[in-house]
Amino acid sequence: MNPTSAHDQEGNQMSAAPTRDLLVVGAGIAGMYAVHKATESGLDVLGLEAGSDVGGTWYFNRYPGARCDVESVDYSYSFDRELEKEWQWSERFATQAEIWSYLDHVADRYRIRERFLFDTRVADAVFDEATSTWSVTTEAGETHRAKFLMMATGSLSEPIKPRLAGVDSFAGETYFTAMWPHEPVDLTGKRVGLIGTGSSGIQAAPIVARQARSLTIFQRTANYTVPAPNRVFTEEDQRKIQEEYPHRREVSAYAAAASPHVSHTKKATEVDAEERRAAFEARWAEGGVLFSKTFPDQSSDIVANDYAREFAEQKIREIVQDPQVADDLIPKDYPIGTKRIVTDSGYYEMFNRDNVELVNLRRDPITEVTDWGIKTEQGSYELDVIIFATGFDALTGALTRIDPKGARGARLSDVWADGPVTYLGMGIPGFPNLFSISGPGAPGVLANMMTHSEQQVDWCLALLQTCHEQGIDTAEPRQDAAEKWTEHLEEVASKTLFVRAASWYMGANIEGKKQTFMPYIGGFGTFRKMCDDVRDAGFEGYVLTTNGGGQ
Ligand code: NA7
């Protein structure tokens, strides 16, 4: 540690404090790996985490039914073959509890917790140009300093509370799926209302329906969901998983979604009806989000997309007995797959239960939340419990809430007012020595977060090490490089159907947020190759400066 004297934005000298090599914000998948890898590389690193323990998304989202929609064997770190060998997943799609146990195991195995401060929420981050250091202030008023700052703050970590009239007046129990209590929640015999039918609401609903006296689902936008034929792994499965791991990892490392799955070799528009149906049937049986990738043209050609949509609609009508409910469950206003297809466990079947009711808010909007329940234009619903599964200020929310102050007076909320501008998702012009992990501009939420996090963290630490070795004080992406990357990202997205959906990928779920497709949709493998090339070219697109002179 080097004691330095930092300055605030007005140029006043601030009290001396140790300056570390790196501060990592967030103890989720990326932050845990970053802290471990940085320590292994001999860097002085400190992690700061708002929660009381590691896990990020998997620490907070412990609502009933929470599972990952990426298969468990892929949703695990690949950096250590020994770790891979000693961990056995029990099911094909892991529960939140099992994923958290895995992350707990990783934290113990690599002694990650001792390098984190928990219950430490970052309130502010300021770059001091005189010393090329970041000062990070916590809500408790402590200040930490480092040469580099990595924001591993998550893509879906800033939950939103819906702006409904009277939302705080409800006298019963309220829960947010993204902030579910650690203590068991007993819904037995209760009248439960659930607002929100994204992944969280759809996963929670069937379990709530089994416990509660009644479940009323308030649906504003219907979501496509494909049931996961989950199963417990046998001894034989475990043997095969281990045998296939090295190959599986190799294929995933440069795959489109960082998982080993591939689409049909032909386009949906090139095959006959029989072949098309067989392919959709096979993918439906495999289950989950990958249905959106049955054919390679499904997300870019509306004709191909319509084939997939019609197939899914037929499935919904086959499962749901009440034709009106089935119709309400069929999305009407966006192509299938342009909002992430949910991976569920018995969602459509649940509507055949007597204690489940669907309220279509498009026909009958909520007018008010009262102390006794929810009022809609046409009805009144008396409730004991309201569960909010109402989503997140995705991709940018966690960063803009902290609102880092960079060089030359740059403030992130101003710089991104017209949509996020990044260089490869990881660098932001105006914010030297700051790394953003899985935020806007990267494949992030469109890829397997485990592999994606490892790739981004490795790349950022390679840049940090280059600076370290060459005595470089600041690394900042050029404005023109970031603009070019952002234009490329928009151009790639514009060729897909994703821009037709009012999704959180587009920022459409937040009032006043600039609507632009935020993740890079050109594929994880393509992205990784581009990042490799930039790194191998000496971090082209970055300005690397030593104090007192540029390079
Ligand atoms: P999502 O997918 O953003 O879903 C949030 C849901 O909440 C969605 O159905 C929203 O309807 C609904 N919502 C939000 N505000 C309201 C109000 N005011 N009234 C009624 N309904 C509302 O979040 P999730 O947590 O389910 O999933 C996020 C990702 O996590 C998921 O894609 C996976 O990748 C994992 P809307 O669509 O806005 O009409």
Side-chain angles (χ1 to χ4, degrees):
M1 285 189 279
N2 312 306
T4 56
S5 177
H7 300 74
D8 65 18
Q9 286 220 303
E10 280 76 48
N12 305 314
Q13 192 165 317
M14 291 158 75
S15 62
T19 300
R20 297 173 189 273
D21 296 315
L22 175 66
L23 284 172
V24 174
V25 185
I29 289 164
M32 285 174 66
Y33 175 61
V35 162
H36 164 63
K37 177 90 195 257
T39 307
E40 256 202 336
S41 314
L43 296 172
D44 178 15
V45 57
L46 177 70
L48 306 171
E49 164 59 47
S52 304
D53 208 340
V54 296
T57 284
W58 304 105
Y59 174 80
F60 288 103
N61 291 262
R62 28 183 94 216
Y63 58 86
R67 284 180 192 271
C68 185
D69 58 8
V70 175
E71 288 180 74
S72 56
V73 292
D74 298 315
Y75 202 76
S76 56
Y77 292 112
S78 64
F79 68 85
D80 186 345
R81 180 77 184 110
E82 290 310 307
L83 170 66
E84 209 166 70
K85 280 185 194 161
E86 72 197 17
W87 183 265
Q88 288 200 340
W89 293 101
S90 69
E91 291 179 281
R92 189 170 157 227
F93 292 99
T95 58
Q96 170 273 333
E98 191 169 15
I99 298 169
W100 191 82
S101 301
Y102 170 75
L103 295 172
D104 174 45
H105 168 74
V106 172
D108 282 349
R109 194 186 196 286
Y110 303 99
R111 303 174 63 171
I112 289 170
R113 281 189 180 89
E114 60 197 55
R115 297 185 294 272
F116 265 100
L117 297 178
F118 294 99
D119 299 308
T120 302
R121 189 176 276 281
V122 169
D124 201 6
V126 179
F127 185 70
D128 177 40
E129 288 174 69
T131 56
S132 303
T133 53
W134 278 96
S135 290
V136 168
T137 313
T138 69
E139 279 186 355
E142 289 163 2
T143 299
H144 302 277
R145 293 185 221 291
K147 295 295 284 182
F148 287 84
L149 174 62
M150 183 178 282
M151 303 301 286
T153 38
S155 317
L156 295 156
S157 51
E158 205 52 32
I160 48 173
K161 188 173 179 179
R163 289 193 191 165
L164 294 166
V167 71
D168 292 321
S169 60
F170 183 59
E173 299 163 55
T174 52
Y175 301 101
F176 281 81
T177 49
M179 292 178 279
W180 199 262
H182 286 225
E183 309 74 45
V185 174
D186 187 8
L187 300 172
T188 316
K190 294 183 179 157
R191 296 163 301 175
V192 180
L194 170 67
I195 303 180
T197 50
S199 186
S200 305
I202 287 177
Q203 286 189 336
I207 297 187
V208 173
R210 288 202 288 274
Q211 286 176 10
R213 180 160 117 213
S214 64
L215 171 63
T216 309
I217 296 181
F218 296 89
Q219 171 193 281
R220 190 165 65 184
T221 309
N223 229 316
Y224 290 99
T225 172
V226 178
N230 201 13
R231 63 185 179 82
V232 171
F233 286 135
T234 62
E235 276 304 304
E236 175 56 15
D237 289 328
Q238 300 292 4
R239 195 197 54 74
K240 232 172 133 204
I241 287 168
Q242 285 305 328
E243 193 181 293
E244 290 172 359
Y245 245 140
H247 178 66
R248 199 172 176 112
R249 295 295 197 196
E250 202 185 315
V251 174
S252 302
Y254 284 84
S259 70
H261 304 278
V262 286
S263 302
H264 196 285
T265 50
K266 289 189 193 139
K267 293 179 176 179
T269 48
E270 286 171 353
V271 299
D272 63 22
E274 201 183 325
E275 188 172 347
R276 208 160 38 230
R277 179 154 194 94
F280 284 135
E281 279 292 359
R283 263 299 156 93
W284 187 275
E286 267 184 62
V289 62
L290 289 171
F291 182 77
S292 59
K293 296 187 174 172
T294 310
F295 288 99
D297 52 344
Q298 213 170 299
S299 295
S300 54
D301 180 349
I302 195 68
V303 178
N305 192 278
D306 278 345
Y307 289 135
R309 182 180 55 74
E310 283 157 15
F311 179 91
E313 287 183 12
Q314 201 181 333
K315 286 285 182 197
I316 298 169
R317 292 189 202 282
E318 277 168 21
I319 304 169
V320 180
Q321 287 159 5
D322 182 327
Q324 179 61 59
V325 176
D327 198 60
D328 285 342
L329 287 170
I330 291 173
K332 307 284 187 297
D333 48 7
Y334 58 93
I336 185 168
T338 55
K339 286 188 175 198
R340 192 176 178 91
I341 292 182
V342 179
T343 305
D344 74 277
S345 303
Y347 185 66
Y348 292 130
E349 280 91 347
M350 178 195 68
F351 288 96
N352 299 332
R353 295 174 66 102
D354 291 337
N355 69 336
V356 175
E357 183 178 4
L358 181 68
V359 179
N360 183 339
L361 300 179
R362 289 285 158 93
R363 266 204 314 272
D364 185 15
I366 293 175
T367 50
E368 193 187 351
V369 179
T370 69
D371 58 341
W372 48 261
I374 291 176
K375 258 188 182 171
T376 61
E377 275 181 7
Q378 295 160 36
S380 295
Y381 300 87
E382 278 186 44
L383 302 167
D384 303 307
V385 178
I386 299 179
I387 298 174
F388 293 96
T390 40
F392 302 86
D393 183 356
L395 296 156
T396 55
L399 292 167
T400 51
R401 193 182 58 76
I402 294 170
D403 199 12
K405 304 1 169 237
R408 307 173 295 280
R411 230 188 144 97
L412 194 65
S413 56
D414 294 339
V415 171
W416 280 4
D418 206 27
V421 176
T422 74
Y423 183 49
L424 298 169
M426 295 178 278
I428 307 168
F431 298 83
N433 298 2
L434 182 136
F435 302 123
S436 159
I437 307 292
S438 305
V445 286
L446 302 174
N448 173 358
M449 271 298 168
M450 286 281 184
T451 319
H452 186 270
S453 299
E454 288 177 321
Q455 180 266 339
Q456 291 218 318
V457 167
D458 286 345
W459 193 92
C460 293
L461 292 184
L463 173 52
L464 191 160
Q465 287 291 13
T466 299
C467 295
H468 217 61
E469 284 157 22
Q470 298 180 16
I472 291 162
D473 292 294
T474 59
E476 181 184 347
R478 287 199 326 260
Q479 182 70 30
D480 64 319
E483 279 169 13
K484 201 170 152 205
W485 172 249
T486 306
E487 276 163 26
H488 171 64
L489 188 140
E490 284 167 5
E491 196 199 328
V492 177
S494 70
K495 292 182 183 145
T496 74
L497 302 172
F498 277 75
V499 289
R500 296 196 194 181
S503 65
W504 54 257
Y505 297 135
M506 295 284 295
N509 64 331
I510 304 291
E511 220 181 298
K513 191 166 172 174
K514 166 81 181 176
Q515 289 203 28
T516 179
F517 192 80
M518 293 183 282
Y520 173 67
I521 198 169
F524 174 74
T526 312
F527 174 79
R528 185 173 210 160
K529 179 80 181 52
M530 287 191 283
C531 293
D532 291 351
D533 291 346
V534 167
R535 182 199 57 212
D536 296 345
F539 295 96
E540 205 174 22
Y542 265 82
V543 180
L544 306 175
T545 313
T546 47
N547 278 345
Q551 183 193 297

